[in-house]
Amino acid sequence: MSGDSTSLLWQPDADRVSAANVTAFIHWLRECGIVDAKDYAQLYAWSVDATPEFWRAIIEYFDIPLRDASDVTDGAAMPDTEWFPGTRINYMDQVVKFRDEPTPAIIAEDDTGTRSKLDWPDLLERSARLAATLRAQGVSSGDRVVAYLPNIIETIVAFHATARVGAVWSVCSPDLGSKGVLDRFTQIEPSVLIACDGYRYGGKAFDRQQEVAAILEGLPTVHTCIQVNVLGESSEVAYATPTMSWRQALQAEPDEHIAPTGFSDPLWILYSSGTTGTPKAIVHGHGGVVLEHVKQVRLQLDLNAGDRFLWYSSTAWMMWNFNIAGLLTGTTVCIFDGHPGKPDLYRLWRMVDELGIHCFGAGAAFFDTCRQQDITPNQQLALTELRAMGSTGSPLSPEGFDWIYESVKRDLYLSSISGGTDFATACVGGSPTVPVHRGEIACRSLGCAVAAFDPDGQPLVDEVGELVITQPMPSMPLYFWADDDKRRYRDSYFSMYPDIWQHGDWIRINQSGSAVIYGRSDATINRQGIRMGTADIYNVVEAEPEIVDSLIVDLEYLGRDSWLPLFVVLADDATLTDDLRGRINTAIRAQLSPRHVPDDIFVIDDVPRTFSGKKMEIPVRRVLLGQTASNAINRDTMSNPESIDFFVELAATRAEE
């Protein structure tokens, strides 16, 4: 039973509750006569019932530099809600408040084990120098600056410089192939590309200069390239686009000016693929991100200025944006760019121990790998400063919860979180004042009105339903790029329930307020937090001459490893040889992402389709997750109803394993 005593893994003691930032916030609200909340549950209820008052309190309590604040929203329903109309704030207005912090701003470790630090004055000076160079290149408010960079200090500096000038930031990780990058960047017509010469992973160097050349060739709007030399000091490839080195770009005199951006001016563009078409270019605003991320870092993660925060991520994942949010609160951001399992799986744990990291997060897959390999960080390392951990990307299994408390640390606040690229934050997670139960997400995040709905739009408790958000959040997308009438935006989140955000996850909300996520309810492929539309994969797979059709589904199981099977229809006389398997996997890895290489490939006679020709990904996924065929699919809607029989038989075979 949810929340029963046998499932309790951690209970905060009185001292922990008393010292928590959220407790201080509750006391302040009471002293100001705003609300008389007694605990987190009452605070949460107020935060979603009195949304405008909650966000105004966040601004005042954390002294967020929002100028000309008046009305909190314009009163419009989602997705047309405008937050703090007429107000001004730049992301960097919040960052520069901490210029005098005595602790490091960033501590970085690369794949070779080399560590480097950057203090606050140096971080701000470098971003001001690069901002001056961008301005000299004609970059101004609203222009797009894109990056092809790993998780290194230069990436953070580049983002900060972009925000300073009021330009719009977007980044792709260099393990993404040029096709995947161009699918994203061509939509937004950038002016400047900041790119690495390559990256290191697992002791190997990966030169990406040919990929950069292909990206530049496909981006005619880019007039300037700035190259960051990760692998060496010289480039062997001469780009057609005028190029300067990172060192040259930082030689300009610092320009301390911060562009006066509006609350809803675009800050960055993230990408979340749907099941068809190109990746969605999701635009977030300065003000909404600042408010949401300050709230998350200070109240949900319980971090303060000078604390150390590491979330293992690549720049392709929204968790990179979440990790560097520590700089909005004076927290020291720790970053790692390399293989977490080389030379062994203690790699990140040694970093946590040696740097005295207070909050460490990673994808659930990393923790499950550690568990499966039977590593025991608490027997090898002291982990003295570690007081909080986070997990996301996919549901953390109950066994994963057990492993963390048995093999990492007993007195530990574990925040299993779920949210997404869509609103750049977590909508469910934890609080240092709330108990942690095995296999459960402890609570809903403050200001996030999360519910489980049935197909008729009725709320569910202790039953699995669609994860919805019933009140607007300031970090919800401003819009999708080039989606002028918001049609694609509405179709993505508001087609099932009018004026209610449908997130695409299955969730059960318990009577206690905790929750369990059961994976995606749509067909987007979400691997370790990195989403990829199935259309992206089909384009690559079906480019192989032997493949005439294909279907891919991502199966996330509670308490079981996720499974990504690919199903292919072969051309006449073709066979699924080892060579063809290898070419498929190599193409996906090179052109899209290593995380989306399938776990298995099966040959099928036909892809299940509707009469209109649409691939029936969601019904197939439901069948493979164990639903009966009669409940998962209506054969009368199919053009080829016999094609579903293969998946019914496969599901039965899997159930017996």
Side-chain angles (χ1 to χ4, degrees):
M1 179 180 293
S2 169
D4 67 22
S5 60
T6 61
S7 69
L8 181 65
L9 293 175
W10 179 78
Q11 175 79 48
D13 60 24
D15 289 343
R16 186 67 180 266
V17 172
S18 176
N21 290 334
V22 71
T23 300
F25 182 55
I26 288 173
H27 289 164
W28 178 82
L29 290 169
R30 187 180 305 130
E31 291 169 359
C32 293
I34 297 173
V35 63
D36 186 19
K38 300 294 192 300
D39 55 20
Y40 186 90
Q42 292 184 10
L43 177 63
Y44 172 77
W46 172 75
S47 76
V48 296
D49 291 340
T51 300
E53 291 84 354
F54 169 73
W55 289 109
R56 191 181 294 279
I58 290 291
I59 291 168
E60 184 176 350
Y61 184 73
F62 291 114
D63 192 27
I64 293 174
L66 183 65
R67 295 181 289 278
D68 307 317
S70 53
D71 294 336
V72 176
T73 74
D74 61 357
M78 293 187 284
D80 300 316
T81 309
E82 183 179 355
W83 289 86
F84 295 98
T87 58
R88 309 195 75 80
I89 183 173
N90 186 300
Y91 185 98
M92 291 303 294
D93 291 332
Q94 179 69 18
V95 175
V96 299
K97 289 167 49 179
F98 302 97
R99 65 169 63 249
D100 296 326
E101 280 295 315
T103 51
I106 306 171
I107 303 176
E109 181 173 322
D110 67 16
D111 195 64
T112 69
T114 302
R115 288 181 185 160
S116 54
K117 293 183 181 181
L118 199 64
D119 62 22
W120 286 90
D122 284 345
L123 170 63
L124 296 173
E125 180 184 339
R126 291 187 192 185
S127 70
R129 288 182 182 276
L130 183 57
T133 295
L134 292 176
R135 288 189 171 107
Q137 295 298 315
V139 177
S140 60
S141 293
D143 291 338
R144 276 75 65 203
V145 173
V146 297
Y148 189 58
L149 293 172
N151 190 10
I152 55 179
I153 287 175
E154 289 86 347
T155 312
I156 301 175
V157 171
F159 162 58
H160 280 183
T162 301
R164 273 185 182 271
V165 303
V168 186
W169 167 262
S170 192
V171 62
C172 283
S173 174
D175 62 356
L176 193 65
S178 58
K179 180 182 183 301
V181 174
L182 291 172
D183 283 347
R184 288 152 177 79
F185 286 169
T186 52
Q187 298 182 62
I188 64 175
E189 299 179 308
S191 300
V192 173
L193 171 68
I194 304 174
C196 61
D197 58 346
Y199 66 97
R200 291 186 174 88
Y201 190 81
K204 298 179 180 179
F206 296 85
D207 190 295
R208 303 304 273 172
Q209 291 175 93
Q210 295 293 344
E211 293 294 321
V212 173
I215 292 166
L216 287 169
E217 183 178 354
L219 295 175
T221 57
V222 170
H223 55 67
T224 303
C225 176
I226 300 172
Q227 178 160 301
V228 178
N229 290 320
V230 174
L231 299 183
E233 289 299 318
S234 61
S235 172
E236 298 179 358
V237 177
Y239 303 137
T241 304
T243 302
M244 70 176 72
S245 70
W246 179 259
R247 182 178 299 172
Q248 291 172 318
L250 292 189
Q251 288 178 350
E253 287 298 313
D255 186 344
E256 300 284 351
H257 177 66
I258 296 175
T261 50
F263 189 96
S264 295
D265 282 352
L267 169 66
W268 62 43
I269 297 172
L270 306 180
Y271 303 91
S272 181
S273 300
T275 57
T276 59
T278 57
K280 296 175 293 194
I282 302 174
V283 185
H284 295 115
H286 282 259
V289 168
V290 169
L291 265 62
E292 176 60 35
H293 283 187
V294 168
K295 179 212 73 177
Q296 282 286 347
V297 173
R298 292 297 306 278
L299 298 183
Q300 309 290 166
L301 295 181
D302 200 39
L303 289 169
N304 297 302
D307 286 344
R308 296 186 171 188
F309 176 34
L310 166 66
W311 202 292
Y312 173 60
S313 176
S314 78
T315 54
W317 192 8
M318 179 276 297
M319 294 309 298
W320 177 83
N321 306 72
F322 194 83
N323 191 182
I324 67 169
L327 298 170
L328 293 168
T329 65
T331 302
T332 297
V333 167
C334 301
I335 58 176
F336 173 73
D337 179 50
H339 195 305
K342 295 291 183 69
D344 54 50
L345 276 171
Y346 288 100
R347 177 73 183 267
L348 286 175
W349 300 106
R350 282 191 291 268
M351 186 176 175
V352 170
D353 184 57
E354 293 167 6
L355 294 182
I357 287 169
H358 300 93
C359 179
F360 168 51
F366 170 74
F367 297 125
D368 278 333
T369 299
C370 290
R371 173 179 60 83
Q372 291 161 2
Q373 295 298 316
D374 293 324
I375 74 163
T376 52
N378 59 1
Q379 294 183 22
Q380 306 295 323
L381 306 162
L383 302 174
T384 305
E385 299 297 326
L386 184 65
R387 64 173 187 257
M389 283 181 56
S391 172
T392 193
S394 58
L396 181 63
S397 66
E399 293 79 9
F401 277 78
D402 294 340
W403 178 83
I404 286 172
Y405 281 100
E406 292 169 0
S407 300
V408 179
K409 201 167 187 177
R410 290 285 184 184
D411 185 15
L412 189 75
Y413 157 46
L414 172 60
S415 181
S416 176
I417 70 174
S418 184
T421 301
D422 316 80
F423 38 64
T425 190
C427 58
V428 291
S431 166
T433 63
V434 174
V436 175
H437 289 267
R438 184 177 190 262
E440 296 182 3
I441 296 171
C443 58
R444 289 167 284 184
S445 298
L446 297 172
C448 302
V450 176
F453 271 16
D454 70 12
D456 297 323
Q458 297 302 309
L460 301 169
V461 177
D462 286 334
E463 294 184 51
V464 177
E466 289 277 353
L467 191 162
V468 299
I469 300 174
T470 60
Q471 296 290 335
M473 293 165 51
S475 66
M476 282 177 172
L478 302 176
Y479 46 84
F480 293 167
W481 196 265
D483 183 31
D484 296 335
D485 60 0
K486 287 192 174 181
R487 180 174 180 178
R488 196 178 183 196
Y489 185 7
R490 293 176 190 277
D491 288 346
S492 296
Y493 308 114
F494 298 96
S495 59
M496 181 174 288
Y497 309 108
D499 301 332
I500 299 292
W501 176 289
Q502 181 225 349
H503 193 56
D505 279 340
W506 298 117
I507 188 172
R508 186 187 78 229
I509 298 175
N510 304 314
Q511 288 282 359
S512 64
S514 65
V516 178
I517 296 287
Y518 290 91
R520 300 296 296 170
S521 64
D522 60 19
T524 301
I525 306 300
N526 186 341
R527 297 285 276 182
Q528 301 175 31
I530 310 301
R531 292 189 186 179
M532 185 72 65
T534 53
D536 294 332
I537 298 174
Y538 297 148
N539 288 338
V540 172
V541 172
E542 292 167 21
E544 298 296 330
E546 296 95 333
I547 308 298
V548 297
D549 206 355
S550 61
L551 182 81
I552 192 165
V553 292
D554 188 20
L555 304 175
E556 292 180 333
Y557 300 86
L558 194 63
R560 185 174 177 181
D561 290 341
S562 65
W563 185 48
L564 184 66
L566 171 67
F567 305 92
V568 296
V569 179
L570 298 177
D572 292 340
D573 301 323
T575 57
L576 184 60
T577 62
D578 289 342
D579 175 70
L580 178 56
R581 290 178 186 272
R583 281 188 281 123
I584 292 171
N585 292 340
T586 298
I588 293 173
R589 180 181 291 108
Q591 298 184 45
L592 297 174
S593 160
R595 296 172 178 84
H596 292 79
V597 173
D599 296 313
D600 286 298
I601 303 176
F602 297 88
V603 176
I604 58 175
D605 293 330
D606 208 1
V607 170
R609 292 183 181 271
T610 65
F611 283 117
S612 62
K614 184 177 180 180
K615 296 182 183 185
M616 304 184 74
E617 296 157 321
I618 294 175
V620 167
R621 185 174 185 274
R622 290 172 177 167
V623 167
L624 293 176
L625 283 172
Q627 290 191 25
T628 62
S630 59
N631 289 333
I633 194 166
N634 181 357
R635 292 177 183 259
D636 292 338
T637 65
M638 300 179 63
S639 62
N640 51 355
E642 70 285 351
S643 64
I644 201 67
D645 295 337
F646 172 90
F647 300 94
V648 173
E649 294 173 8
L650 179 60
T653 301
R654 292 275 298 172
E656 294 172 357
E657 293 178 355

